[in-house]
Amino acid sequence: SSGINAEYGEVKKMTEEEIDAMDKSERGARGALSLLAVVILSAAYLVAFCSRLFAVIRFESIIHEFDPWFNYRATHHMVQNGFYNFLNWFDERAWYPLGRIVGGTVYPGLMLTSGGIHWILQALNIPIHIRDICVFLAPIFSGLTAVTTFFLTRELWSTGAGLLAASFIAIAPGYISRSVAGSYDNEGIAIFALMLTFFLWIRAMKHGSVMWAVLAALSYFYMVSAWGGYVFITNLVPLHVLIVLLMGKYNSRIYISYSTFYIVGLVCSMQVPFVGFQPLRTSEHMAAFGVFGLIQVVAFLHYLKSVTSKKQFEVLFKTGFLLSAVLGFILITCLTWAGYIAPWSGRFYSLWDTGYAKIHIPIIASVS
């Protein structure tokens, strides 16, 4: 018996040693894959940054095009005179001879981003002119967009898919044309905010976390302050929630995520002077409001499910769902007809009909 025990002990020892060796091998493989992912992602960032520098390399570090020059002037004024002076600044040289109240007619996120970077660098005793920050802002944020796209796609699919997505968006021609060095325009930072909001929203949906939902709402607030294209997020997120509800996949996580995201995002977006009360009075925002009301009805019906029979619940669910949808549509239609809610804008129509802007709004078609 002692011989058998000794043999069993050796087998057990060998097995433990083999398991330890396999664990070390797996950890080493995972570490190598993680290192490779970091290297590829860093390369995507560098490609995104460097591929947008040709204008600077061939000529010089300078702002070009019309809107970027105005944005630079506004940023320079804010850095020199402060944010509150910028909000109340009347620029007599813009829209001459009428002039322009700048603070109430621009999305200030671009100026605040450059001014914040300039303030941090000055606090660190790194002397740099605000113009150079404005010139290189778009290439820097293009690299950050590639990184954010990686995290979004990894959240949806896998690390490999995330690396491919980051690599593709780094060299996407349409994105490059709007974010080259010197093109100091809203899209330079807005696409980053767009991808970051979608990433944080997916995280919030998966975990049902108030924290992730608040972070998604704050990212949405940054997007609202940066670009008028925030209405795409305003409609895509509710559309996502609506499809989930129609698929019968409702749960507490989606209720917590969307309710938190909508309320915090709504309140924050109304703090942008140029936006104001538009989230409550324009058609582009009514889909988000409708889905918010619908999800409250669905949550209430699911509560009734626990206190009613299955047959009664089916009748209540179908009746409540249809009534809330129909009444909501009628209410929004009547308010739009009465003039309390503004109709759809040309930006929204051009999203569904790519030829709409060319026919009805040539100035949009000229820069799209």
Side-chain angles (χ1 to χ4, degrees):
S1 61
S2 61
I4 294 174
N5 291 334
E7 185 177 351
Y8 173 75
E10 290 179 1
V11 172
K12 185 177 180 181
K13 183 178 180 181
M14 289 176 61
T15 305
E16 291 177 351
E17 290 177 352
E18 290 175 355
I19 292 174
D20 289 340
M22 290 176 63
D23 288 342
K24 290 180 180 178
S25 176
E26 289 179 0
R27 286 197 298 269
R30 285 197 296 268
L33 289 175
S34 299
L35 179 61
L36 182 61
V38 171
V39 171
I40 295 175
L41 191 59
S42 301
Y45 182 97
L46 289 174
V47 169
F49 179 78
C50 295
S51 62
R52 290 160 168 82
L53 299 182
F54 288 106
V56 173
I57 294 172
R58 292 184 62 187
F59 302 104
E60 59 179 318
S61 176
I62 192 171
I63 304 290
H64 54 83
E65 300 176 24
F66 299 106
D67 286 349
W69 265 109
F70 170 78
N71 293 331
Y72 166 65
R73 255 186 91 240
T75 305
H76 187 268
H77 181 88
M78 187 191 72
V79 169
Q80 295 293 324
N81 300 281
F83 178 66
Y84 286 104
N85 186 282
F86 164 74
L87 288 179
N88 297 293
W89 177 36
F90 182 80
D91 184 10
E92 68 280 356
R93 298 183 184 180
W95 296 349
Y96 185 83
L98 299 176
R100 177 178 182 179
I101 302 173
V102 176
T105 57
V106 297
Y107 292 97
L110 184 68
M111 297 80 183
L112 287 172
T113 301
S114 300
I117 294 173
H118 182 265
W119 181 83
I120 292 173
L121 293 176
Q122 293 294 321
L124 296 174
N125 291 321
I126 302 176
I128 184 170
H129 197 275
I130 186 64
R131 185 198 65 201
D132 295 320
I133 294 175
C134 296
V135 168
F136 292 99
L137 186 72
I140 291 172
F141 270 81
S142 299
L144 294 177
T145 301
V147 174
T148 310
T149 304
F150 162 76
F151 285 110
L152 171 62
T153 313
R154 188 183 67 172
E155 194 71 26
L156 293 171
W157 194 252
S158 66
T159 301
L163 293 173
L164 280 174
S167 302
F168 282 132
I169 200 170
I171 58 174
Y175 185 29
I176 290 178
S177 67
R178 305 297 295 176
S179 58
V180 296
S183 181
Y184 182 57
D185 212 346
N186 301 88
E187 293 89 342
I189 63 172
I191 304 302
F192 162 75
L194 181 79
M195 303 305 293
L196 180 62
T197 304
F198 286 145
F199 164 66
L200 294 172
W201 166 247
I202 296 299
R203 293 283 290 185
M205 281 276 291
K206 282 189 173 183
H207 298 278
S209 169
V210 172
M211 181 193 73
W212 286 110
V214 169
L215 290 175
L218 292 177
S219 178
Y220 170 71
F221 172 47
Y222 181 55
M223 174 69 179
V224 173
S225 71
W227 187 37
Y230 75 89
V231 293
F232 299 142
I233 298 179
T234 306
N235 288 278
L236 284 174
V237 170
L239 179 62
H240 180 210
V241 175
L242 180 62
I243 291 174
V244 171
L245 294 179
L246 293 175
M247 292 173 63
K249 300 293 185 180
Y250 170 84
N251 53 49
S252 60
R253 295 196 303 272
I254 188 173
Y255 177 80
I256 293 170
S257 301
Y258 187 71
S259 297
T260 305
F261 172 80
Y262 178 76
I263 294 297
V264 178
L266 176 70
V267 173
C268 289
S269 64
M270 292 171 66
Q271 309 312 307
V272 180
F274 189 40
V275 175
F277 286 92
Q278 288 184 36
L280 299 177
R281 303 203 58 177
T282 56
S283 297
E284 283 87 352
H285 299 82
M286 289 301 108
F289 175 71
V291 172
F292 175 73
L294 181 63
I295 202 172
Q296 307 306 317
V297 174
V298 172
F300 179 68
L301 291 174
H302 273 264
Y303 164 74
L304 293 179
K305 184 178 182 180
S306 62
V307 295
T308 57
S309 65
K310 184 177 180 181
K311 188 174 182 180
Q312 290 175 327
F313 172 73
E314 288 180 356
V315 175
L316 285 171
F317 183 82
K318 291 178 181 178
T319 305
F321 189 88
L322 289 174
L323 277 177
S324 60
V326 171
L327 290 176
F329 177 78
I330 292 174
L331 178 63
I332 291 174
T333 302
C334 291
L335 290 174
T336 303
W337 178 78
Y340 291 101
I341 297 177
W344 302 104
S345 66
R347 187 192 299 273
F348 187 83
Y349 286 128
S350 63
L351 175 65
W352 305 109
D353 181 8
T354 55
Y356 179 86
K358 184 177 181 181
I359 299 172
H360 300 283
I361 317 175
I363 190 171
I364 292 179
S366 67
V367 297
S368 300

